[in-house]
Amino acid sequence: MKRILVTGGAGFIGSNFLNYILKTYDDIFVVNYDKLTYAGNLENLREIEAKKNYVFIKGDIVDHEQVSNTLKKYEINNIINFAAESHVDRSIHSSYSFYETNVLGTNVLLNAAREIDLEKFLQVSTDEVYGSLSTEGLFTETTALNPKNPYAASKAGADLMALAFCNTYKMPIVVTRCSNNYGPYQFPEKLIPLMVINAISNKELPVYGDGLNIRDWIYVIDHNKAIMKVLEDGKSGEVYNVGAKSEKPNIEIVKLILDYLEKPYSLIKYVNDRPGHDRRYAIDSAKLMADLNWEPEYSFDRAIQDTIKWYLDNKNWWERILSGDYQNYYKLQYQTN
Ligand code: NAD
Ligand code: DAU
């Protein structure tokens, strides 16, 4: 039986992952190990928190002793590392916590994993490790790593450390590199929830630069199904790109949100660009599709509507976040714009 340590399971992708696997698989036991930073929210897990095969531990992945004790106490044999500082703009304000959690924390998990009978360690990485594309081409698993902002550099460090542990200590380790996710429970600092919430609230929608930067969007459940496939069947030492062939310029998404909510384009405000802003991401997931028989199931057109609707229907969830420390972050990020 798989006994999985999921780190960062109270965040956006991690909580969607836990809701998905705990409703889909019976023969698993899961420990959610999360520090509950500003981005961690146990409310995301209400539907599964009472399950007998689920345990929550508040802990920091940088704490070797607590990680090691947790792995042993719960006889963990699989680890999925979602835990991270995940927002590029915050990493531009200060990169220390990014280095600490993303690089050092991953290193702690890898070392602690050496002490157990490990079936698989899955490092959740990102397409940002590849840097930026011009108008042509796609990121493949052999594209050279060229991270361009502090968040991306910290994720590249973690990703390479995981692969180095696999090579050096012959550990069963796999890495996934996914494109931009959207869906329920995404923290409002990210493009889609931020624009939806501002539009609902009749606030300005701050678009960086010319609004023509391109991201390649995937519904969070498609990413999570890919992670389960790679955990089950991924070959040790391999990297798997995950994406759904859904490239969109930012301004197109912003206008789509305004159209859905029947709000005017006059709410759009072009603001100062993000420093070192990556121009385009586009991911080739042919390897994952061919080797592990994975395919994205959700169309962007449908899933983006479901996502906007989710934020309309779950005002309580985001109003609580907006009333807290998020105000300070919002002022810091958008006051000069
Ligand atoms: P998130 O910011 O929503 O959640 C991060 C979670 O990690 C939170 O619950 C937080 O409390 C926890 N955490 C942070 N530091 C920790 C620490 N030191 N110890 C234990 N827990 C800690 O992030 P997300 O968007 O859900 O991303 C999850 C993972 O997926 C990250 O590794 C990210 O790099 C990767 N990723 C994200 C995307 C995306 O579009 N969001 C795309 C590809 C890859
Ligand atoms: O590609 C995967 C990455 O996607 C993940 O590794 C990161 O964790 C995740 O945050 C995301 O990074 P991005 O920087 O691409 O996502 P973000 O939602 O911050 O921004 C998406 C695009 O929208 C980007 O081009 C910047 C732009 N943007 C963002 C915000 C918050 C705006 O124009 N205005 C905004 O206010």
Side-chain angles (χ1 to χ4, degrees):
M1 181 167 98
K2 285 201 184 337
R3 301 181 64 84
I4 313 173
L5 183 84
V6 170
T7 70
F12 161 50
I13 304 176
S15 62
N16 277 287
F17 179 77
L18 290 174
N19 281 311
Y20 162 64
I21 61 166
L22 283 157
K23 287 175 196 166
T24 310
Y25 299 82
D26 293 324
D27 55 338
I28 52 169
F29 176 80
V30 184
V31 176
N32 173 14
Y33 185 92
D34 197 300
K35 185 179 173 182
L36 298 184
T37 67
Y38 76 92
N41 187 349
L42 292 177
E43 276 183 49
N44 305 1
L45 298 160
R46 289 285 176 255
E47 289 171 25
I48 51 106
E49 67 186 0
K51 287 198 176 267
K52 289 196 172 60
N53 55 344
Y54 169 78
V55 172
F56 172 72
I57 306 283
K58 185 171 190 298
D60 190 332
I61 58 167
V62 175
D63 182 342
H64 186 112
E65 198 181 341
Q66 194 183 0
V67 169
S68 182
N69 289 342
T70 304
L71 292 179
K72 287 169 190 159
K73 177 172 177 193
Y74 293 102
E75 298 175 1
I76 296 297
N77 52 25
N78 284 268
I79 300 174
I80 306 177
N81 183 25
F82 288 100
E85 287 295 335
S86 69
H87 192 41
V88 173
D89 292 323
R90 288 187 193 251
S91 82
I92 294 169
H93 288 295
S94 172
S95 55
Y96 289 108
S97 62
F98 286 75
Y99 173 76
E100 218 169 86
T101 287
N102 300 0
V103 183
L104 193 57
T106 303
N107 191 238
V108 167
L109 285 174
L110 290 163
N111 275 299
R114 293 180 63 199
E115 302 161 8
I116 61 168
D117 196 7
L118 184 70
E119 254 175 41
K120 194 74 71 67
F121 185 117
L122 191 154
Q123 172 64 14
V124 181
S125 188
T126 164
D127 62 355
E128 291 209 15
V129 299
Y130 297 122
S132 181
L133 292 165
S134 56
T135 49
E136 296 297 310
L138 302 172
F139 296 132
T140 72
E141 289 82 357
T142 56
T143 301
L145 300 201
N146 188 17
K148 301 269 195 189
N149 61 64
Y151 159 73
S154 69
K155 290 296 290 184
D159 178 324
L160 291 176
M161 188 62 85
L163 293 171
F165 267 61
C166 176
N167 177 62
T168 307
Y169 303 112
K170 307 299 170 221
M171 292 166 70
I173 297 175
V174 283
V175 172
T176 56
R177 295 182 184 145
C178 189
S179 60
N180 287 61
N181 286 222
Y182 64 99
Y185 302 119
Q186 186 165 31
F187 196 81
E189 67 197 351
K190 306 285 170 31
L191 178 78
I192 289 177
L194 188 141
M195 297 299 169
V196 173
I197 290 169
N198 281 16
I200 293 172
S201 319
N202 298 311
K203 278 180 68 179
E204 282 171 346
L205 276 56
V207 174
Y208 298 161
D210 61 7
L212 297 177
N213 297 66
I214 291 174
R215 295 294 181 266
D216 191 353
W217 295 93
I218 183 170
Y219 191 57
V220 63
I221 299 298
D222 276 333
H223 182 194
N224 285 333
K225 288 187 175 177
I227 285 176
M228 256 337 249
K229 280 258 183 207
V230 174
L231 186 77
E232 283 169 335
D233 302 324
K235 214 168 131 221
S236 183
E238 295 292 322
V239 173
Y240 297 91
N241 281 352
V242 188
K245 276 198 185 315
S246 195
E247 288 183 54
K248 310 273 174 209
N250 295 334
I251 191 66
E252 196 180 300
I253 300 214
V254 170
K255 287 184 173 167
L256 181 158
I257 291 169
L258 288 169
D259 289 343
Y260 183 93
L261 294 170
E262 299 179 344
K263 298 283 179 166
Y265 290 175
S266 56
L267 285 176
I268 296 171
K269 184 182 177 205
Y270 286 93
V271 299
N272 292 341
D273 208 354
R274 173 185 279 174
H277 196 174
D278 287 342
R279 191 64 174 167
R280 172 173 168 256
Y281 301 152
I283 199 142
D284 181 349
S285 31
K287 175 177 170 181
L288 178 64
M289 294 169 85
D291 293 3
L292 301 187
N293 202 23
W294 171 87
E295 266 193 49
E297 292 166 21
Y298 292 83
S299 80
F300 180 81
D301 293 346
R302 176 68 206 277
I304 189 71
Q305 292 193 18
D306 291 349
T307 301
I308 300 170
K309 189 168 179 317
W310 187 87
Y311 286 93
L312 271 173
D313 293 344
N314 288 275
K315 274 192 180 174
N316 285 346
W317 182 85
W318 52 263
E319 277 175 350
R320 265 195 288 281
I321 293 171
L322 261 47
S323 68
D325 196 44
Y326 182 71
Q327 297 283 340
N328 295 329
Y329 165 73
Y330 199 89
K331 275 192 206 119
L332 176 70
Q333 176 60 20
Y334 296 100
Q335 70 188 352
T336 52
N337 275 303

